[in-house]
């Protein structure tokens, strides 16, 4: 009914106290226990278990064989699985013990002081009765993830003390089932790992107050709980009843500790245990200081991380990250700088201290957007870049002495005057400085001690009292309006030029509207010229077998190069000539129009398209240009071009139109034929070549 002080140090609940002090019935009364023996079969350490009293029927069996020369678990151990409750083979030379999964009733397994190197995560699968495990003083280097976290295990205690482990996976520390103590002390552990991407589950209870001894290891850097599956430090409350003993390690007390200590600070006094008394080793000024003591006394400012030159700290400066103040300090005070540092560490909320240097100019540098504070007092400043204030955030604290400044950039007007400390300034007051008086006057107090004076022949005059109206600034104001108007004009002009350039083809199509038929139906040799890229077999076949036949039956005289081209003529000259003799042009738009013109058919098709477009532009009142979107292409498939404009304005005819209105829409755009019901005129000499073309095409189809 009571817990002595020994157990109270790491057990926080009454049921836990009972669980961790209880003993099995066979240990209290040995009358029903049979002690087994070992018989060696080979000098290399192989052995068998033997019975001494074979006629007795004991309820439990125990095998104790310590400080022998066993090299592995006795080979017939599974024959005793039903009654074997304790196996103590400490002090032997065992290197492998993976053959114990059959011992389903085993309560205690003691293998201390052997030569075990590796423990696999399936070693203890099925050993649901195992409570006590001792693998201390071995040479274990690897304890695989999830070795102790299997839900079938209900370990009372596990001892891995004095091994050779350098890391511990989080799954072997944060486990769901209740336990009393897991001892990893006196190893060579430097860090936790998370090899199986463990994530804490806020809906589960972990460990029920178990104690994990990690003392006397070689930790240096504080634990990164985010990498260990705790995305929010508040989730660490799921294991707050745990006891983690991290004493006597080489802890570096830096900024990595601060977020964790800030979270646990309110609870340390309430749940204090002596093993919370972790001390610092580094830095030297904190060596031997208690981490918990600093936390409870609100000394978290001491936890900083120094930033090296390789991480962006300017040469000669002292840079450090201080999470408790939510800042990164770059201290370059009195290091002899003549210009501003060229770069800073890649952090936000930087406080840049540049006092007591020889800096003459504050320039426009990209890192100004990272600043939280800028101090540049006691420097011979003569010029401040107007772009500097544009980069700096509105709520940045600025402190500088402007004794040698002639002008204050007008961009300072966008800063909070309550956060800008200028000191004593003697500036030249002209029309461009009038804003300074208004800016300073808007401040209700002078807590920053800004004293601004205007230089005058009779002596310096406080800027608050200076009469800017006497300077006749109206002319300057007029010039400002002119400049603003000119700038607006140039912006509008630029936008218009951009639109005109990128949408020039769309404007042509809107003006000439190819979606309606032409009223002035001139009579030409051909009613329609058909453009098809001959690399597209489907478009070519449809044009030859469907389109030309329908147009012919309706009385249209068509020129189709695949059918009507006269071999021997120059192709480009014939294209130009026949297009000039054709009233309208139908273009079957296929994906080949996007290919390069190394292919001859693509070259000719694009050539036909360009000449057809030019004819349409120059004489759209009599000619029309109809594009059929055969391959369902999009405007984004093309660069800026007339074809892109057709698609963007939806002025193409859809070949896959579900309403089956393609031919009707096509006829509406080309109007009636110029020779109604007359047979188209073809040169008789073309027949021979037509037959050749058909045979050539049919061979391609094969």
């Amino acid at each position: 009914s009571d817990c002595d002080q020994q157990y109270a140090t790491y057990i926080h609940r009454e049921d836990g106290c009972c669980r961790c002090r209880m003993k099995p019935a066979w240990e209290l009364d040995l009358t029903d226990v049979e002690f087994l023996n070992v018989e060696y079969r080979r000098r290399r350490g192989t052995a068998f278990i033997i019975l001494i009293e074979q006629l007795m029927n004991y309820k439990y069996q125990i095998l104790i064989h310590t400080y022998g020369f066993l090299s592995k678990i006795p080979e017939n151990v599974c024959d005793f699985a039903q009654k074997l409750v304790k196996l103590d083979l400490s002090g032997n030379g065992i290197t492998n013990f993976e053959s114990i999964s059959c011992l389903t009733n085993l309560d205690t397994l003691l293998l201390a002081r052997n030569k075990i190197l590796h423990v696999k995560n399936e070693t203890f699968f099925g050993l649901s009765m195992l409570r006590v495990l001792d693998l201390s003083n071995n040479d274990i280097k690897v304890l695989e993830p999830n070795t102790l976290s299997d839900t079938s295990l209900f370990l009372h205690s596990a001892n891995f003390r004095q091994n050779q482990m350098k890391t511990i996976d989080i799954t072997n520390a944060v486990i769901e089932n209740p336990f009393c103590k897991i001892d990893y002390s006196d190893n060579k552990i430097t860090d936790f790992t998370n090899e199986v991407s463990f994530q804490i589950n806020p809906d589960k209870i972990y460990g029920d107050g178990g104690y994990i001894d990690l003392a006397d290891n070689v930790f240096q850097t504080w634990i990164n709980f985010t990498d260990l599956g705790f995305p929010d430090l508040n989730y660490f409350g799921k294991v707050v009843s745990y006891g983690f003993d991290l004493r006597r390690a080489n802890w570096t007390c830096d900024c990595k500790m601060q977020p964790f200590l800030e979270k646990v600070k309110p609870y340390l006094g309430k749940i204090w245990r002596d093993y919370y008394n972790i001390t610092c080793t580094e830095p030297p000024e904190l060596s031997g200081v208690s981490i918990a003591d600093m936390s409870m006394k609100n000394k978290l400012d001491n936890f900083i991380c120094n930033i090296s030159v390789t991480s962006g700290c300017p040469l000669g400066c002292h840079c450090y990250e201080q999470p408790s103040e939510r800042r990164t300090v770059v201290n370059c005070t009195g290091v002899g700088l003549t210009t501003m540092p060229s770069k800073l560490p890649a952090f936000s909320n930087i406080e840049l201290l540049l006092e007591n240097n020889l800096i003459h100019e504050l320039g426009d540098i990209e890192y100004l957007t990272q600043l939280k504070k800028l101090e540049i007092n006691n420097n011979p400043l003569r010029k401040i870049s107007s772009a500097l204030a544009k980069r700096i955030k509105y709520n940045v604290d600025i402190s500088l002495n402007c004794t040698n400044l002639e002008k204050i950039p007008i961009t300072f007007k966008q800063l909070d005057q309550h956060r800008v400390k200028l000191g004593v300034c003697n500036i030249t007051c002209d029309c461009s400085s009038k804003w300074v008086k208004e800016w300073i006057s808007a401040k209700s107090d002078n807590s920053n001690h800004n004293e601004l004076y205007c230089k005058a022949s009779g002596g310096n005059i406080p800027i608050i009292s200076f009469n800017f109206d006497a300077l006749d600034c109206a002319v300057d104001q007029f010039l400002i309006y002119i400049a603003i108007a000119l700038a607006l004009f140039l912006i509008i002009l630029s936008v218009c030029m951009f639109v005109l350039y990128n949408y020039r083809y769309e404007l042509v199509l809107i003006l000439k509207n190819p979606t309606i038929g032409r009223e002035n139906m001139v009579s030409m040799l051909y009613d329609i010229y058909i453009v098809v890229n001959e690399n597209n077999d489907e478009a070519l076949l449809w044009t030859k077998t469907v389109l030309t036949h329908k147009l012919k039956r309706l009385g249209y005289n068509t020129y189709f190069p695949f059918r009507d081209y006269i071999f021997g003529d120059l192709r480009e000259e014939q294209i130009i000539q026949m297009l000039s003799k054709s009233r309208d042009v139908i273009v079957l738009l296929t994906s080949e129009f996007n290919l390069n013109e190394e292919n001859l058919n693509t070259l000719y098709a694009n050539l036909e398209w360009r000449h057809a477009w030019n004819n349409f532009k120059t004489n759209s009142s009599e000619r029309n240009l109809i594009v059929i979107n055969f391959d369902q292409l999009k405007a984004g498939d093309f660069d800026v071009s007339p074809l892109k404009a057709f698609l963007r304005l939806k002025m193409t005819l859809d070949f896959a139109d579900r309403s089956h209105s393609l031919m009707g829409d096509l006829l509406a755009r080309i109007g009636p034929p110029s020779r109604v019901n007359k047979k188209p005129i073809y040169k008789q000499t073309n027949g021979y070549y037509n037959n050749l073309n058909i045979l050539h095409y049919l061979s391609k189809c094969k």
Side-chain angles (χ1 to χ4, degrees):
S1 61
D2 62 333
C3 284
D4 60 28
Q5 188 60 32
Q6 175 187 358
Y7 288 91
T9 58
Y10 58 85
I11 299 300
H12 310 301
R13 294 176 55 180
E14 292 181 2
D15 58 340
C17 176
C18 177
R19 180 174 67 247
C20 293
R21 297 184 64 185
M22 66 182 177
K23 296 181 182 295
W26 51 262
E27 187 174 331
L28 300 175
D29 182 8
L30 298 177
T31 58
D32 208 13
V33 175
E34 178 181 13
F35 288 87
L36 305 174
N37 286 279
V38 165
E39 181 181 274
Y40 284 93
R41 298 297 176 93
R42 294 182 180 85
R43 291 185 178 182
R44 293 185 178 181
T46 58
F48 278 76
I49 302 174
I50 59 173
L51 296 172
I52 300 299
E53 302 179 32
Q54 299 188 7
L55 299 178
M56 299 295 292
N57 186 21
Y58 292 97
K59 189 175 182 180
Y60 305 105
Q61 292 175 331
I62 293 176
L63 173 60
I64 300 176
H65 181 75
T66 58
Y67 298 99
F69 59 94
L70 288 174
S71 61
K72 60 181 181 178
I73 304 292
E75 295 182 3
N76 64 335
V77 68
C78 290
D79 295 342
F80 301 88
Q82 186 176 357
K83 296 181 179 181
L84 188 62
V85 292
K86 181 176 180 178
L87 181 62
D88 184 357
L89 301 176
S90 302
N92 282 275
I94 297 172
T95 59
N96 188 313
F97 67 110
E98 297 175 11
S99 58
I100 62 170
S101 59
C102 59
L103 305 179
T104 55
N105 290 310
L106 189 66
D107 174 90
T108 303
L109 176 62
L110 307 178
L111 294 173
R113 293 175 295 281
N114 276 280
K115 297 180 180 180
I116 299 169
L117 299 173
H118 190 117
V119 181
K120 295 185 177 181
N121 56 15
E122 68 265 20
T123 300
F124 306 113
F125 281 6
L127 303 185
S128 58
M129 303 298 290
L130 184 65
R131 291 186 316 113
V132 180
L133 172 67
D134 188 355
L135 293 173
S136 62
N137 296 92
N138 276 275
D139 294 319
I140 299 173
K141 294 182 179 179
V142 178
L143 182 66
E144 291 186 357
N146 290 318
T147 300
L148 304 181
S149 59
D150 182 57
T151 54
S152 67
L153 276 179
F154 293 90
L155 281 172
H156 162 287
S157 63
N159 190 353
F160 295 91
R161 179 181 173 83
Q162 291 186 339
N163 277 282
Q164 303 296 316
M165 291 182 286
K166 294 182 179 181
T167 60
I168 286 294
D169 196 85
I170 189 64
T171 57
N172 290 321
V174 178
I175 60 180
E176 294 182 35
N177 285 341
F179 66 93
C180 297
K181 182 178 180 180
I182 301 176
D183 192 347
Y184 295 118
S185 64
D186 204 9
N187 274 269
K188 298 179 180 179
I189 301 171
T190 60
D191 199 6
F192 281 94
T193 60
N194 189 4
E195 296 182 24
V196 293
S197 301
F198 167 81
Q199 289 291 316
I200 194 76
N201 187 339
D203 299 325
K204 289 184 178 180
I205 297 175
Y206 291 86
D208 197 20
Y211 173 70
I212 298 179
D213 192 350
L214 291 158
D216 298 300
N217 278 285
V218 289
F219 290 102
Q220 287 184 321
T221 304
W222 190 245
I223 302 162
N224 188 330
F225 291 101
T226 302
D227 292 345
L228 298 182
F230 294 82
D232 187 338
L233 280 178
N234 290 316
Y235 289 167
F236 198 76
K238 297 300 298 181
V239 293
V240 72
S241 59
Y242 269 54
F244 289 95
D245 191 344
L246 296 166
R247 289 175 293 180
R248 297 183 295 280
N250 301 321
W251 291 111
T252 298
C253 294
D254 57 16
C255 64
K256 297 181 178 66
M257 283 187 174
Q258 190 276 336
F260 174 77
L261 293 176
E262 189 169 335
K263 286 286 185 185
V264 301
K265 181 174 64 174
Y267 311 103
L268 280 176
K270 300 176 183 178
I271 59 172
W272 176 256
R273 300 288 183 272
D274 58 354
Y275 51 78
Y276 291 166
N277 194 28
I278 305 168
T279 57
C280 303
T281 303
E282 295 289 341
E285 60 269 22
L286 296 179
S287 180
V289 178
S290 169
I291 295 171
D293 187 56
M294 283 193 289
S295 178
M296 290 189 288
K297 292 181 179 179
N298 293 320
K299 294 182 178 180
L300 297 181
D301 289 353
N302 294 322
F303 294 90
I304 64 173
C305 286
N306 290 318
I307 302 171
S308 66
V309 173
T310 55
S311 297
C313 184
L315 190 63
C317 303
H318 179 210
C319 306
Y320 57 89
E321 184 184 0
Q322 191 176 34
S324 63
E325 296 294 329
R326 309 292 190 269
R327 67 175 183 170
T328 300
V329 177
V330 178
N331 190 349
C332 299
T333 301
V335 296
L337 294 177
T338 57
T339 60
M340 295 180 67
S342 58
K343 66 175 183 177
L344 295 183
F347 293 89
S348 58
N349 294 330
I350 291 179
E351 293 189 6
L352 178 58
L353 312 180
L354 299 172
E355 296 179 304
N356 303 325
N357 282 287
L358 302 171
I359 299 173
H360 292 82
E361 180 179 351
L362 287 181
D364 176 25
I365 305 178
E366 289 186 4
Y367 63 68
L368 293 172
T369 56
Q370 303 168 234
L371 297 187
K372 173 185 178 183
K373 185 177 185 179
L374 173 62
E375 290 189 2
I376 193 166
N377 293 315
N378 298 324
N379 279 271
L381 283 177
R382 295 192 181 93
K383 183 180 179 182
I384 300 177
S385 168
S386 60
L388 177 139
K390 289 182 179 179
R391 284 193 182 271
I392 292 179
K393 297 175 183 177
Y394 173 76
N395 59 348
V396 171
D397 292 317
I398 301 176
S399 179
L400 57 88
N401 60 311
C402 57
T403 305
N404 299 317
L405 284 176
E406 290 287 330
K407 294 280 187 182
I408 299 176
I410 193 171
T411 48
F412 265 57
K413 189 176 182 179
Q414 68 189 39
L415 300 177
D416 184 355
Q417 64 268 43
H418 295 84
R419 293 179 174 271
V420 179
K421 183 178 179 180
L422 299 174
V424 180
C425 302
N426 299 312
I427 64 174
T428 300
C429 290
D430 53 22
C431 292
S432 63
S433 305
K434 187 177 180 180
W435 71 270
V436 180
K437 179 179 179 179
E438 299 169 352
W439 184 62
I440 292 295
S441 300
K443 186 179 176 183
S444 58
D445 58 18
N446 193 26
S447 56
N448 286 346
H449 306 290
N450 292 326
E451 298 181 28
L452 276 68
Y453 297 89
C454 292
K455 295 178 181 179
S457 57
N460 293 338
I461 303 172
I463 195 169
I464 299 297
S465 305
F466 190 82
N467 185 11
F468 281 92
D469 294 335
L471 298 178
D472 192 16
C473 297
V475 176
D476 290 346
Q477 195 70 25
F478 175 74
L479 292 176
I480 291 173
Y481 291 147
I482 293 295
I484 293 173
L486 182 60
L488 289 174
F489 172 75
L490 291 175
I491 292 172
I492 294 171
L493 182 62
S494 299
V495 172
C496 291
M497 294 298 294
F498 175 82
V499 172
L500 287 173
Y501 179 77
N502 286 280
Y503 293 90
R504 58 190 184 277
Y505 300 115
E506 282 83 353
L507 293 174
V508 171
L509 289 176
I510 290 172
L511 291 173
K512 299 186 178 294
N513 195 2
T515 62
I516 60 175
R518 298 310 185 238
E519 296 181 359
N520 186 11
M521 308 303 292
V522 296
S523 178
M524 294 187 179
L525 180 60
Y526 296 104
D527 294 313
I528 299 169
Y529 186 108
I530 302 174
V531 178
V532 181
N533 190 309
E534 295 180 14
N535 289 329
N536 192 307
D537 293 341
E538 293 180 356
L540 195 64
L541 182 63
W542 181 79
T543 303
K544 181 180 179 303
T545 59
V546 177
L547 180 61
T548 55
H549 283 272
K550 285 191 175 183
L551 293 174
K552 181 178 179 181
R553 285 199 302 271
L554 293 171
Y556 291 96
N557 194 10
T558 60
Y559 181 82
F560 182 27
F562 177 78
R563 179 193 64 196
D564 301 326
Y565 167 62
I566 302 175
F567 289 92
D569 287 357
L570 289 175
R571 185 69 180 265
E572 184 173 0
E573 290 184 1
Q574 189 171 153
I575 289 171
I576 296 171
Q577 181 183 6
M578 293 306 171
L579 280 170
S580 66
K581 296 179 180 180
S582 302
R583 187 184 69 195
D584 298 330
V585 177
I586 296 176
V587 180
L588 264 71
L589 181 58
T590 58
S591 57
E592 285 77 14
F593 276 86
N594 252 339
L595 301 176
N596 59 55
E597 296 187 356
E598 294 178 1
N599 180 273
L600 201 57
N601 287 331
T602 301
L603 174 66
Y604 289 142
N606 288 340
L607 190 64
E608 290 172 322
W609 163 251
R610 286 194 290 270
H611 285 293
W613 170 254
N614 289 330
N615 289 345
F616 173 70
K617 280 198 308 180
T618 56
N619 191 10
S620 61
S621 61
E622 297 178 352
R623 301 171 183 268
N624 204 1
L625 181 60
I626 301 98
V627 178
I628 299 175
N629 190 356
F630 190 86
D631 278 352
Q632 303 299 296
L633 300 175
K634 307 293 183 183
D637 297 332
F638 294 87
D639 295 328
V640 176
S641 64
L643 285 174
K644 184 181 186 73
F646 263 99
L647 292 167
R648 185 181 282 169
L649 295 176
K650 302 186 185 305
M651 289 186 172
T652 60
L653 295 177
D654 188 2
F655 181 79
D657 184 11
R658 294 184 179 181
S659 62
H660 306 291
S661 61
L662 175 62
M663 287 306 298
D665 295 338
L666 178 64
L667 294 175
R669 296 190 184 190
I670 59 178
S674 57
R675 295 179 174 83
V676 181
N677 296 326
K678 289 188 178 180
K679 191 174 183 180
I681 301 172
Y682 295 100
K683 294 185 179 180
Q684 296 300 319
T685 55
N686 288 354
Y688 173 73
Y689 297 109
N690 291 342
N691 293 333
L692 286 179
N693 284 338
I694 293 169
L695 290 173
H696 171 68
Y697 182 72
L698 289 174
S699 67
K700 287 173 66 179
C701 293
K702 286 184 179 180

